[in-house]
Amino acid sequence: MLSSLVGFLSYCRGILFEDSVYGNTDQSDGTSNLETLTCLNPEDFRCPISLELMTDPVTVSTGQTYDRASIQRWLKSGNLICPKTGEILQSTELLPNSTLRKLIQQFCADNGISLAKSRKKNRDISRTILPGSPAAAEAIKFLSEFLASRLYFGSDQQITKAAYEIRLLAKSNIFNRSVLIEAASIPALLQILNTNDPIMQENSISALLKLSKHSNGKEVIMENGGLNLIIRVLKDGLKVEAKQIAAAIIFYISSPREYRKAIGENPEVFPALVELIKDGTSCGKKNAIVAVFGLLLSHRNHERALGAGTVRALVDLLASSDKVELNTDALAVLASLAEKTEGSFAILEASALPVILSQLQNTTSRAGKEYSVSILLYLCINCGAEVLAALVREQALMPLLYSLLTEGTNQAKKRTRSLIKILQKFCETSTSRFVSEVPQEQFIDVR
């Protein structure tokens, strides 16, 4: 009964009260940190089947993501449909969602969450997947079709109002998003991005952000040429909020592997993200960094990121920023780039070594310390003696590394031990070489 009433009221708001006040009242897109690497909504991390934080997220053929253990139990029970969409699965292949796994791991590390304990604190999110009642479903369908028609055929004021209502309707309800996508709202919202009206553009890009979280939304955006339009807003958006929301959309649509490749091949995307890292607001910088982070999961994009000056922008940010979460995100991207030899040398050439050591010593983020260790380890492996000699001279480094062996993840401990062994071996080798090169004392026989 209540869900039916809510659906009816939503219908009334969108259709009967067209002259109601609308505008920049939803601050969650522009100024909060809910669309960033370290502060994503934890509900995005829960398995739709078990409602628990996913430890091993995998994606099925419909594009939906589940925890591996849950979807495997579902399939072994003889179910061959997607639990979330009801579509028949074309394949039972489970593709690891490494983007989401890394984000969940960082979210848990930054917030002191144990994945084992979190299973006892489940929240029911089924109410956001299902409409609640047949009456509510019909009300939302009628409203979605009405708003989509306004986008196509309305006046400028009606278009702005419709984009704003879609923005609100899709904010926290998965069912609403799917209905809005079926009503063909995305192509119209994309075309509105070319407007000269900053409020209309912001409402449109904000609505697209909500719809891009849905697997079908990503597909419709890409198939309708949305990437170029979103990058244009990222570069030349009429408001700073529009630019930073565009960066968040880049992150969401880059989660499928094939789209990640296509996005990276666009020559404008990395330069635009780097500019936002340099000159954006704190939220804009975060959203740009998270977009780069997602794109780097495709190895082909590493070279493109390096060519756009990503390393220099991140090192400068670390040297000037005192925001722990922002710095942790920057370190995460540098750690990813450092895995390859070209990335390590770019970091070294950017004079980043003192900055990374400072982060290791001073950051209060455990994840930040772990990323710093990873960067140092890759620098030692890929760049050799020059880095090793510089690190050995840092007297405070070894005590820091030994302290990290008692905390952090197993992977972090493993990398810390590897770094310690490399430094110790370098010291032993250097000492042996020094002793062998000392000339023997010559004695003069005086008679």
Side-chain angles (χ1 to χ4, degrees):
M1 182 67 180
L2 182 58
S3 62
S4 300
L5 178 60
V6 171
F8 176 71
L9 291 175
S10 297
Y11 177 84
C12 291
R13 173 187 168 86
I15 296 179
L16 299 181
F17 302 105
E18 285 201 87
D19 295 329
S20 59
V21 176
Y22 61 89
N24 188 23
T25 59
D26 178 11
Q27 295 297 321
S28 64
D29 298 312
T31 58
S32 79
N33 54 9
L34 293 179
E35 303 295 346
T36 63
L37 186 69
T38 53
C39 297
L40 284 167
N41 187 341
E43 295 310 314
D44 292 337
F45 301 155
R46 296 185 183 276
C47 174
I49 298 176
S50 67
L51 305 179
E52 299 170 348
L53 287 177
M54 292 181 279
T55 57
D56 187 9
V58 293
T59 301
V60 298
S61 61
T62 60
Q64 302 298 323
T65 299
Y66 304 93
D67 194 52
R68 183 183 295 275
S70 297
I71 192 63
Q72 284 179 336
R73 285 195 298 268
W74 172 269
L75 295 173
K76 286 180 180 178
S77 299
N79 298 297
L80 295 178
I81 63 172
C82 176
K84 194 169 178 179
T85 67
E87 300 175 50
I88 297 176
L89 294 172
Q90 301 300 317
S91 167
T92 57
E93 182 181 7
L94 305 177
L95 299 176
N97 191 329
S98 52
T99 305
L100 188 58
R101 185 178 67 251
K102 288 187 177 183
L103 293 176
I104 293 172
Q105 291 172 347
Q106 184 174 336
F107 172 83
C108 291
D110 287 342
N111 292 275
I113 295 174
S114 166
L115 282 173
K117 293 180 180 179
S118 70
R119 297 180 181 274
K120 301 177 182 179
K121 300 179 180 180
N122 298 332
R123 289 179 56 192
D124 183 9
I125 62 170
S126 60
R127 59 185 175 81
T128 73
I129 301 173
L130 303 174
S133 72
E138 289 303 311
I140 296 302
K141 287 179 182 178
F142 279 126
L143 176 57
S144 298
E145 292 171 358
F146 174 81
L147 294 174
S149 69
R150 277 287 189 257
L151 293 177
Y152 285 102
F153 306 113
S155 64
D156 286 352
Q157 183 176 0
Q158 290 171 334
I159 291 172
T160 304
K161 165 69 173 176
Y164 178 70
E165 291 300 329
I166 292 173
R167 173 182 181 177
L168 295 183
L169 199 60
K171 183 175 181 181
S172 58
N173 192 291
I174 298 171
F175 174 78
N176 292 356
R177 293 172 191 167
S178 64
V179 174
L180 286 163
I181 293 168
E182 291 175 2
S185 61
I186 287 180
L189 289 168
L190 289 170
Q191 294 306 313
I192 296 170
L193 294 179
N194 288 319
T195 182
N196 292 321
D197 184 335
I199 296 178
M200 185 188 294
Q201 186 183 71
E202 184 186 355
N203 283 325
S204 179
I205 197 75
S206 296
L208 286 166
L209 171 61
K210 305 300 188 300
L211 298 177
S212 71
K213 297 181 181 182
H214 196 284
S215 59
N216 294 340
K218 299 175 178 63
E219 181 178 352
V220 175
I221 288 173
M222 293 297 290
E223 289 183 350
N224 284 272
L227 177 60
N228 289 333
L229 294 167
I230 290 166
I231 292 175
R232 189 178 304 167
V233 175
L234 177 64
K235 291 175 56 182
D236 304 312
L238 301 175
K239 298 179 66 176
V240 65
E241 290 82 4
K243 293 182 178 182
Q244 59 200 34
I245 294 169
I249 295 177
I250 294 293
F251 166 72
Y252 280 109
I253 63 176
S254 69
S255 55
R257 184 182 305 173
E258 64 272 22
Y259 296 159
R260 196 182 304 146
K261 178 178 179 293
I263 295 168
E265 289 174 348
N266 188 300
E268 295 183 305
V269 65
F270 278 110
L273 291 171
V274 169
E275 284 304 309
L276 192 58
I277 292 173
K278 292 178 180 178
D279 303 324
T281 64
S282 178
C283 182
K285 293 176 189 291
K286 283 188 175 186
N287 289 353
I289 292 171
V290 74
V292 173
F293 183 86
L295 290 170
L296 288 179
L297 293 172
S298 173
H299 293 300
R300 296 183 179 182
N301 288 332
H302 281 236
E303 183 178 350
R304 296 163 182 147
L306 293 174
T310 303
V311 168
R312 169 55 64 187
L314 293 174
V315 172
D316 290 345
L317 184 149
L318 287 170
S320 60
S321 171
D322 59 356
K323 297 184 181 297
V324 176
E325 292 177 353
L326 184 61
N327 291 353
T328 300
D329 296 346
L331 290 167
V333 175
L334 287 175
S336 179
L337 290 170
E339 293 180 13
K340 294 183 176 295
T341 302
E342 298 85 353
S344 287
F345 275 103
I347 292 171
L348 193 62
E349 290 170 3
S351 303
L353 198 55
V355 177
I356 304 303
L357 288 169
S358 176
Q359 288 293 320
L360 176 61
Q361 185 170 5
N362 298 316
T363 184
T364 57
S365 166
R366 184 173 65 183
K369 291 182 182 294
E370 294 176 1
Y371 286 130
S372 298
V373 169
S374 295
I375 296 169
L376 295 178
L377 176 61
Y378 289 129
L379 290 179
C380 289
I381 294 172
N382 294 327
C383 300
E386 181 181 353
V387 175
L388 287 164
L391 294 182
V392 166
R393 291 193 294 269
E394 293 290 332
Q395 297 182 354
L397 178 58
M398 277 303 194
L400 275 173
L401 295 178
Y402 281 117
S403 68
L404 290 176
L405 290 176
T406 61
E407 56 187 42
T409 63
N410 290 333
Q411 185 180 28
K413 293 177 182 178
K414 181 179 178 180
R415 291 184 176 178
T416 302
R417 283 193 292 268
S418 297
L419 180 56
I420 290 173
K421 288 180 180 179
I422 289 175
L423 293 174
Q424 288 177 336
K425 184 176 181 179
F426 179 79
C427 287
E428 293 170 358
T429 304
S430 300
T431 302
S432 301
R433 186 183 303 116
F434 174 78
V435 171
S436 64
E437 291 177 355
V438 172
Q440 297 297 316
E441 184 177 358
Q442 297 180 358
F443 293 92
I444 301 176
D445 186 14
V446 180
R447 296 183 183 276

